[in-house]
Amino acid sequence: MDHNKLALPVGTTLDRFIMRKQEDFPYATGELSQLLRDIALAAKIVNREINRSGLIDIAGAYGNQNVQGEDQQKLDVIANIRFIRALRNGGEVCTIISEEDEDMIQTGNNQGKYVVAIDPLDGSSNIDVNVSIGTIFSIYRRVSATGSEGTEQDCLQTGTHQVAAGYVIYGSSTMLVYTTGNGVNGFTYENSLGEFFLSHPNISTPKTGAIYSINEGSSEFFSEGTAAFVAHCKQQGYSARYIGSLVADFHRNLLKGGIYMYPATKKAPNGKLRLMYECNALAFIVEQAGGKSSNGRSRTMEIEPKGLHDRSPLFIGSTELVEKAEEFLTAEYSDAVASL
């Protein structure tokens, strides 16, 4: 028997991949590499908690609301604790902002060069029904001098200043997908070895697609431009696919081609998704994969944040579909201006 068949290689681990790619990182001195490893470690722990949530009574509501006014799930709280602890213990991050916390979180690592914005558990209300959920993160290089606590200026940077961003999807398999501005790579978690292995190298999203993802239950509150674009998707015979977990919907469309939309509505004129915790990170990823992200008229990553919990409309995915959506929304805006 061919000996090569007896011990096939298992692939490239996340740690080894990060080490090999370290020269691609700006200011490469190892801190960003360590920071990505800290996030991966926390993701492994959260993955374990999710997989056993139904067995140890950590599914369901926690009983509090977060700063967004949303009911917290128990796993929201657990994930928030795990990621903050990992980032604090890693020593590379001076300040964290989390969707679950109203204010900045100072880690005590005043020499840390990085700031992290994180949605610890996106789509957590789907845990109880075994639907895919995720974690989203952005990494920025601090602009204030090291040696002191991070500032709001460090946190409120536009998405164009991200040095890395990524997400973890906890589904039929657990994947970590990230970019440092040199393409997008995906890693699948191998439970028996406790390692992430490179499974989706150099992800490139299709230029167009035949999937549109939007909560049509809110169609009564859509603007004319959004409603017209959705009607256009139907006329083209596109398939409607909407899971209700942002990471899951985004991940599918990233790989298969399509557009995800969470528009401004009459109920939420500024949109619902958070610029710092959700929109910027996914925008960085999709652009690095060859796609596009917009609030309907402007590039997502160029939006100037005014507060930690700013919201924004989001149209993200295949370039041709996002640009077509912008055409409908721009026409709506032009008509509104002309009527003034």
Side-chain angles (χ1 to χ4, degrees):
M1 181 178 290
D2 185 351
H3 287 185
N4 291 331
K5 293 181 180 179
L6 296 177
L8 295 174
V10 294
T12 303
T13 66
L14 175 63
D15 278 358
R16 184 171 295 170
F17 183 87
I18 289 172
M19 290 177 64
R20 288 176 178 172
K21 293 292 184 178
Q22 185 168 313
E23 63 270 17
D24 293 341
F25 302 159
Y27 316 102
T29 52
E31 291 99 333
L32 184 56
S33 299
Q34 183 58 52
L35 174 48
L36 289 168
R37 293 191 192 98
D38 294 337
I39 290 173
L41 173 61
K44 293 176 186 179
I45 297 171
V46 171
N47 177 68
R48 181 195 66 185
E49 301 300 293
I50 290 170
N51 286 339
R52 63 178 186 161
S53 62
L55 302 175
I56 59 174
D57 193 30
I58 56 173
Y62 180 62
N64 290 340
Q65 289 188 330
N66 63 14
V67 65
Q68 316 294 339
E70 300 167 340
D71 291 334
Q72 283 186 312
Q73 304 296 305
K74 294 174 185 175
L75 278 169
D76 281 320
V77 178
I78 290 171
N80 197 40
I81 291 170
R82 293 298 186 184
F83 277 101
I84 290 172
R85 184 178 294 165
L87 293 171
R88 178 179 284 128
N89 291 343
E92 317 302 336
V93 178
C94 63
T95 306
I96 304 164
I97 57 172
S98 168
E99 186 187 42
E100 299 298 326
D101 291 281
E102 183 173 1
D103 299 317
M104 298 182 296
I105 302 162
Q106 302 294 350
T107 63
N109 303 316
N110 294 342
Q111 296 298 325
K113 297 178 181 178
Y114 295 98
V115 171
V116 171
I118 191 163
D119 180 354
L121 207 59
D122 173 75
S124 57
S125 61
N126 283 317
I127 295 166
D128 294 351
V129 291
N130 216 24
V131 171
S132 297
I133 54 180
T135 296
I136 308 172
F137 62 90
S138 288
I139 302 172
Y140 298 82
R141 190 173 176 87
R142 71 184 297 175
V143 294
S144 63
T146 56
S148 60
E149 291 186 341
T151 67
E152 192 170 89
Q153 184 183 11
D154 293 319
C155 299
L156 295 182
Q157 300 184 58
T158 61
T160 55
H161 290 95
Q162 293 173 99
V163 296
Y167 63 86
V168 183
I169 181 169
Y170 311 99
S172 54
S173 62
T174 295
M175 280 189 65
L176 187 155
V177 178
Y178 83 94
T179 181
T180 58
N182 293 282
V184 181
N185 292 281
F187 300 78
T188 298
Y189 186 59
E190 213 293 339
N191 287 280
S192 65
L193 296 176
E195 294 280 2
F196 283 101
F197 287 92
L198 180 64
S199 56
H200 294 66
N202 300 315
I203 294 172
S204 178
T205 194
K207 294 296 182 185
T208 190
I211 295 173
Y212 72 98
S213 306
I214 192 170
N215 180 8
E216 293 196 69
S218 299
S219 59
E220 179 183 351
F221 306 103
F222 289 168
S223 68
E224 291 182 7
T226 300
F229 177 67
V230 171
H232 167 78
C233 291
K234 293 178 178 179
Q235 291 163 4
Q236 296 299 310
Y238 298 162
S239 297
R241 296 287 184 270
Y242 188 73
I243 297 170
S245 288
L246 172 59
V247 169
D249 280 310
F250 175 83
H251 182 71
R252 178 198 55 242
N253 292 358
L254 180 71
L255 298 181
K256 294 189 173 183
I259 183 171
Y260 175 91
M261 298 172 278
Y262 212 116
T265 65
K266 296 172 185 175
K267 290 173 61 178
N270 295 319
K272 184 180 178 184
L273 299 179
R274 290 79 181 176
L275 178 64
M276 301 305 299
Y277 311 110
E278 296 164 318
C279 301
N280 274 338
L282 299 184
F284 191 19
I285 293 165
V286 81
E287 287 193 10
Q288 285 295 310
K292 188 169 184 177
S293 180
S294 169
N295 67 358
R297 294 200 303 273
S298 304
R299 182 186 178 202
T300 296
M301 290 204 295
E302 293 179 353
I303 299 172
E304 291 282 350
K306 295 180 174 60
L308 299 180
H309 299 285
D310 282 4
R311 298 175 187 255
S312 174
L314 184 65
F315 296 81
I316 190 168
S318 298
T319 298
E320 291 183 11
L321 294 180
V322 174
E323 289 178 348
K324 178 61 71 174
E326 287 179 320
E327 287 180 21
F328 281 92
L329 290 157
T330 300
E332 171 195 51
Y333 178 72
S334 299
D335 289 345
V337 171
S339 67
L340 294 178

PDB file of all heavy atoms in Angstrom, residues 206-228:
ATOM      1  N   PRO A 206     -19.129  36.121  -6.229  1.00  0.00           N
ATOM      2  CA  PRO A 206     -19.557  36.362  -7.608  1.00  0.00           C
ATOM      3  C   PRO A 206     -19.946  37.817  -7.833  1.00  0.00           C
ATOM      4  O   PRO A 206     -20.454  38.481  -6.933  1.00  0.00           O
ATOM      5  CB  PRO A 206     -20.767  35.431  -7.772  1.00  0.00           C
ATOM      6  CG  PRO A 206     -20.542  34.341  -6.770  1.00  0.00           C
ATOM      7  CD  PRO A 206     -19.890  35.017  -5.597  1.00  0.00           C
ATOM      8  N   LYS A 207     -19.702  38.318  -9.053  1.00  0.00           N
ATOM      9  CA  LYS A 207     -20.040  39.702  -9.379  1.00  0.00           C
ATOM     10  C   LYS A 207     -21.536  39.952  -9.375  1.00  0.00           C
ATOM     11  O   LYS A 207     -22.012  41.066  -9.172  1.00  0.00           O
ATOM     12  CB  LYS A 207     -19.462  40.075 -10.749  1.00  0.00           C
ATOM     13  CG  LYS A 207     -17.942  40.106 -10.786  1.00  0.00           C
ATOM     14  CD  LYS A 207     -17.398  41.200  -9.874  1.00  0.00           C
ATOM     15  CE  LYS A 207     -15.883  41.280  -9.939  1.00  0.00           C
ATOM     16  NZ  LYS A 207     -15.333  42.268  -8.964  1.00  0.00           N
ATOM     17  N   THR A 208     -22.306  38.907  -9.620  1.00  0.00           N
ATOM     18  CA  THR A 208     -23.756  39.029  -9.560  1.00  0.00           C
ATOM     19  C   THR A 208     -24.302  37.742  -8.957  1.00  0.00           C
ATOM     20  O   THR A 208     -23.545  36.836  -8.600  1.00  0.00           O
ATOM     21  CB  THR A 208     -24.354  39.294 -10.952  1.00  0.00           C
ATOM     22  OG1 THR A 208     -25.738  39.646 -10.822  1.00  0.00           O
ATOM     23  CG2 THR A 208     -24.226  38.082 -11.861  1.00  0.00           C
ATOM     24  N   GLY A 209     -25.599  37.671  -8.804  1.00  0.00           N
ATOM     25  CA  GLY A 209     -26.202  36.496  -8.200  1.00  0.00           C
ATOM     26  C   GLY A 209     -27.697  36.501  -8.422  1.00  0.00           C
ATOM     27  O   GLY A 209     -28.255  37.420  -9.037  1.00  0.00           O
ATOM     28  N   ALA A 210     -28.348  35.489  -7.905  1.00  0.00           N
ATOM     29  CA  ALA A 210     -29.794  35.362  -8.097  1.00  0.00           C
ATOM     30  C   ALA A 210     -30.499  35.158  -6.761  1.00  0.00           C
ATOM     31  O   ALA A 210     -31.531  34.496  -6.685  1.00  0.00           O
ATOM     32  CB  ALA A 210     -30.099  34.200  -9.035  1.00  0.00           C
ATOM     33  N   ILE A 211     -29.922  35.718  -5.690  1.00  0.00           N
ATOM     34  CA  ILE A 211     -30.520  35.619  -4.353  1.00  0.00           C
ATOM     35  C   ILE A 211     -30.685  37.024  -3.786  1.00  0.00           C
ATOM     36  O   ILE A 211     -29.770  37.841  -3.867  1.00  0.00           O
ATOM     37  CB  ILE A 211     -29.624  34.795  -3.402  1.00  0.00           C
ATOM     38  CG1 ILE A 211     -29.518  33.342  -3.872  1.00  0.00           C
ATOM     39  CG2 ILE A 211     -30.153  34.846  -1.967  1.00  0.00           C
ATOM     40  CD1 ILE A 211     -28.505  32.515  -3.082  1.00  0.00           C
ATOM     41  N   TYR A 212     -31.854  37.301  -3.240  1.00  0.00           N
ATOM     42  CA  TYR A 212     -32.029  38.540  -2.483  1.00  0.00           C
ATOM     43  C   TYR A 212     -32.526  38.185  -1.093  1.00  0.00           C
ATOM     44  O   TYR A 212     -33.356  37.305  -0.919  1.00  0.00           O
ATOM     45  CB  TYR A 212     -32.964  39.530  -3.194  1.00  0.00           C
ATOM     46  CG  TYR A 212     -34.430  39.163  -3.196  1.00  0.00           C
ATOM     47  CD1 TYR A 212     -35.312  39.717  -2.267  1.00  0.00           C
ATOM     48  CD2 TYR A 212     -34.951  38.281  -4.149  1.00  0.00           C
ATOM     49  CE1 TYR A 212     -36.669  39.399  -2.285  1.00  0.00           C
ATOM     50  CE2 TYR A 212     -36.295  37.956  -4.169  1.00  0.00           C
ATOM     51  CZ  TYR A 212     -37.158  38.520  -3.232  1.00  0.00           C
ATOM     52  OH  TYR A 212     -38.496  38.206  -3.242  1.00  0.00           O
ATOM     53  N   SER A 213     -31.968  38.870  -0.104  1.00  0.00           N
ATOM     54  CA  SER A 213     -32.247  38.556   1.291  1.00  0.00           C
ATOM     55  C   SER A 213     -32.745  39.811   1.986  1.00  0.00           C
ATOM     56  O   SER A 213     -31.992  40.772   2.155  1.00  0.00           O
ATOM     57  CB  SER A 213     -30.976  38.046   1.984  1.00  0.00           C
ATOM     58  OG  SER A 213     -30.403  36.970   1.281  1.00  0.00           O
ATOM     59  N   ILE A 214     -34.003  39.791   2.379  1.00  0.00           N
ATOM     60  CA  ILE A 214     -34.600  40.935   3.060  1.00  0.00           C
ATOM     61  C   ILE A 214     -35.814  40.447   3.834  1.00  0.00           C
ATOM     62  O   ILE A 214     -36.459  39.460   3.439  1.00  0.00           O
ATOM     63  CB  ILE A 214     -35.024  42.026   2.042  1.00  0.00           C
ATOM     64  CG1 ILE A 214     -35.382  43.339   2.763  1.00  0.00           C
ATOM     65  CG2 ILE A 214     -36.138  41.554   1.126  1.00  0.00           C
ATOM     66  CD1 ILE A 214     -35.560  44.519   1.816  1.00  0.00           C
ATOM     67  N   ASN A 215     -36.114  41.099   4.936  1.00  0.00           N
ATOM     68  CA  ASN A 215     -37.288  40.741   5.726  1.00  0.00           C
ATOM     69  C   ASN A 215     -38.519  41.380   5.087  1.00  0.00           C
ATOM     70  O   ASN A 215     -38.845  42.537   5.345  1.00  0.00           O
ATOM     71  CB  ASN A 215     -37.119  41.229   7.160  1.00  0.00           C
ATOM     72  CG  ASN A 215     -38.315  40.888   8.027  1.00  0.00           C
ATOM     73  OD1 ASN A 215     -39.228  40.159   7.599  1.00  0.00           O
ATOM     74  ND2 ASN A 215     -38.342  41.401   9.245  1.00  0.00           N
ATOM     75  N   GLU A 216     -39.193  40.620   4.248  1.00  0.00           N
ATOM     76  CA  GLU A 216     -40.361  41.160   3.545  1.00  0.00           C
ATOM     77  C   GLU A 216     -41.568  41.330   4.451  1.00  0.00           C
ATOM     78  O   GLU A 216     -42.573  41.909   4.039  1.00  0.00           O
ATOM     79  CB  GLU A 216     -40.696  40.288   2.334  1.00  0.00           C
ATOM     80  CG  GLU A 216     -39.627  40.350   1.258  1.00  0.00           C
ATOM     81  CD  GLU A 216     -40.104  39.829  -0.084  1.00  0.00           C
ATOM     82  OE1 GLU A 216     -40.959  40.483  -0.719  1.00  0.00           O
ATOM     83  OE2 GLU A 216     -39.612  38.758  -0.492  1.00  0.00           O
ATOM     84  N   GLY A 217     -41.453  40.868   5.686  1.00  0.00           N
ATOM     85  CA  GLY A 217     -42.507  41.144   6.653  1.00  0.00           C
ATOM     86  C   GLY A 217     -42.619  42.622   6.972  1.00  0.00           C
ATOM     87  O   GLY A 217     -43.629  43.084   7.499  1.00  0.00           O
ATOM     88  N   SER A 218     -41.556  43.379   6.656  1.00  0.00           N
ATOM     89  CA  SER A 218     -41.559  44.831   6.877  1.00  0.00           C
ATOM     90  C   SER A 218     -41.872  45.612   5.605  1.00  0.00           C
ATOM     91  O   SER A 218     -41.663  46.825   5.561  1.00  0.00           O
ATOM     92  CB  SER A 218     -40.190  45.274   7.415  1.00  0.00           C
ATOM     93  OG  SER A 218     -39.903  44.660   8.651  1.00  0.00           O
ATOM     94  N   SER A 219     -42.355  44.935   4.573  1.00  0.00           N
ATOM     95  CA  SER A 219     -42.534  45.584   3.281  1.00  0.00           C
ATOM     96  C   SER A 219     -43.483  46.777   3.336  1.00  0.00           C
ATOM     97  O   SER A 219     -43.362  47.714   2.548  1.00  0.00           O
ATOM     98  CB  SER A 219     -43.027  44.576   2.241  1.00  0.00           C
ATOM     99  OG  SER A 219     -44.260  44.000   2.652  1.00  0.00           O
ATOM    100  N   GLU A 220     -44.421  46.754   4.283  1.00  0.00           N
ATOM    101  CA  GLU A 220     -45.351  47.874   4.432  1.00  0.00           C
ATOM    102  C   GLU A 220     -44.612  49.172   4.753  1.00  0.00           C
ATOM    103  O   GLU A 220     -45.101  50.271   4.458  1.00  0.00           O
ATOM    104  CB  GLU A 220     -46.358  47.559   5.538  1.00  0.00           C
ATOM    105  CG  GLU A 220     -47.372  48.663   5.806  1.00  0.00           C
ATOM    106  CD  GLU A 220     -48.303  48.332   6.961  1.00  0.00           C
ATOM    107  OE1 GLU A 220     -48.278  47.174   7.439  1.00  0.00           O
ATOM    108  OE2 GLU A 220     -49.052  49.231   7.391  1.00  0.00           O
ATOM    109  N   PHE A 221     -43.425  49.036   5.338  1.00  0.00           N
ATOM    110  CA  PHE A 221     -42.672  50.207   5.780  1.00  0.00           C
ATOM    111  C   PHE A 221     -41.491  50.543   4.861  1.00  0.00           C
ATOM    112  O   PHE A 221     -40.711  51.436   5.151  1.00  0.00           O
ATOM    113  CB  PHE A 221     -42.164  49.987   7.208  1.00  0.00           C
ATOM    114  CG  PHE A 221     -43.254  49.624   8.180  1.00  0.00           C
ATOM    115  CD1 PHE A 221     -43.420  48.311   8.598  1.00  0.00           C
ATOM    116  CD2 PHE A 221     -44.132  50.588   8.657  1.00  0.00           C
ATOM    117  CE1 PHE A 221     -44.428  47.963   9.485  1.00  0.00           C
ATOM    118  CE2 PHE A 221     -45.134  50.262   9.537  1.00  0.00           C
ATOM    119  CZ  PHE A 221     -45.293  48.939   9.957  1.00  0.00           C
ATOM    120  N   PHE A 222     -41.345  49.811   3.742  1.00  0.00           N
ATOM    121  CA  PHE A 222     -40.255  50.085   2.805  1.00  0.00           C
ATOM    122  C   PHE A 222     -40.468  51.430   2.125  1.00  0.00           C
ATOM    123  O   PHE A 222     -41.597  51.852   1.859  1.00  0.00           O
ATOM    124  CB  PHE A 222     -40.176  49.007   1.713  1.00  0.00           C
ATOM    125  CG  PHE A 222     -39.679  47.664   2.178  1.00  0.00           C
ATOM    126  CD1 PHE A 222     -39.792  46.555   1.345  1.00  0.00           C
ATOM    127  CD2 PHE A 222     -39.102  47.494   3.419  1.00  0.00           C
ATOM    128  CE1 PHE A 222     -39.349  45.314   1.745  1.00  0.00           C
ATOM    129  CE2 PHE A 222     -38.646  46.247   3.838  1.00  0.00           C
ATOM    130  CZ  PHE A 222     -38.779  45.157   2.994  1.00  0.00           C
ATOM    131  N   SER A 223     -39.353  52.083   1.786  1.00  0.00           N
ATOM    132  CA  SER A 223     -39.426  53.275   0.947  1.00  0.00           C
ATOM    133  C   SER A 223     -39.776  52.847  -0.478  1.00  0.00           C
ATOM    134  O   SER A 223     -39.710  51.658  -0.828  1.00  0.00           O
ATOM    135  CB  SER A 223     -38.078  53.997   0.940  1.00  0.00           C
ATOM    136  OG  SER A 223     -37.106  53.221   0.256  1.00  0.00           O
ATOM    137  N   GLU A 224     -40.117  53.809  -1.305  1.00  0.00           N
ATOM    138  CA  GLU A 224     -40.488  53.492  -2.692  1.00  0.00           C
ATOM    139  C   GLU A 224     -39.318  52.852  -3.437  1.00  0.00           C
ATOM    140  O   GLU A 224     -39.497  51.915  -4.216  1.00  0.00           O
ATOM    141  CB  GLU A 224     -40.941  54.759  -3.413  1.00  0.00           C
ATOM    142  CG  GLU A 224     -42.276  55.311  -2.913  1.00  0.00           C
ATOM    143  CD  GLU A 224     -42.711  56.543  -3.684  1.00  0.00           C
ATOM    144  OE1 GLU A 224     -42.040  56.882  -4.693  1.00  0.00           O
ATOM    145  OE2 GLU A 224     -43.718  57.164  -3.289  1.00  0.00           O
ATOM    146  N   GLY A 225     -38.105  53.366  -3.205  1.00  0.00           N
ATOM    147  CA  GLY A 225     -36.945  52.819  -3.885  1.00  0.00           C
ATOM    148  C   GLY A 225     -36.669  51.381  -3.503  1.00  0.00           C
ATOM    149  O   GLY A 225     -36.388  50.534  -4.358  1.00  0.00           O
ATOM    150  N   THR A 226     -36.740  51.076  -2.206  1.00  0.00           N
ATOM    151  CA  THR A 226     -36.520  49.701  -1.748  1.00  0.00           C
ATOM    152  C   THR A 226     -37.587  48.777  -2.302  1.00  0.00           C
ATOM    153  O   THR A 226     -37.287  47.684  -2.796  1.00  0.00           O
ATOM    154  CB  THR A 226     -36.518  49.639  -0.213  1.00  0.00           C
ATOM    155  OG1 THR A 226     -35.475  50.467   0.305  1.00  0.00           O
ATOM    156  CG2 THR A 226     -36.309  48.214   0.270  1.00  0.00           C
ATOM    157  N   ALA A 227     -38.844  49.208  -2.232  1.00  0.00           N
ATOM    158  CA  ALA A 227     -39.950  48.386  -2.735  1.00  0.00           C
ATOM    159  C   ALA A 227     -39.785  48.130  -4.230  1.00  0.00           C
ATOM    160  O   ALA A 227     -40.033  47.007  -4.717  1.00  0.00           O
ATOM    161  CB  ALA A 227     -41.282  49.068  -2.449  1.00  0.00           C
ATOM    162  N   ALA A 228     -39.345  49.145  -4.964  1.00  0.00           N
ATOM    163  CA  ALA A 228     -39.170  48.989  -6.406  1.00  0.00           C
ATOM    164  C   ALA A 228     -38.042  48.007  -6.717  1.00  0.00           C
ATOM    165  O   ALA A 228     -38.144  47.200  -7.652  1.00  0.00           O
ATOM    166  CB  ALA A 228     -38.889  50.342  -7.051  1.00  0.00           C
TER     167      ALA A 228
END
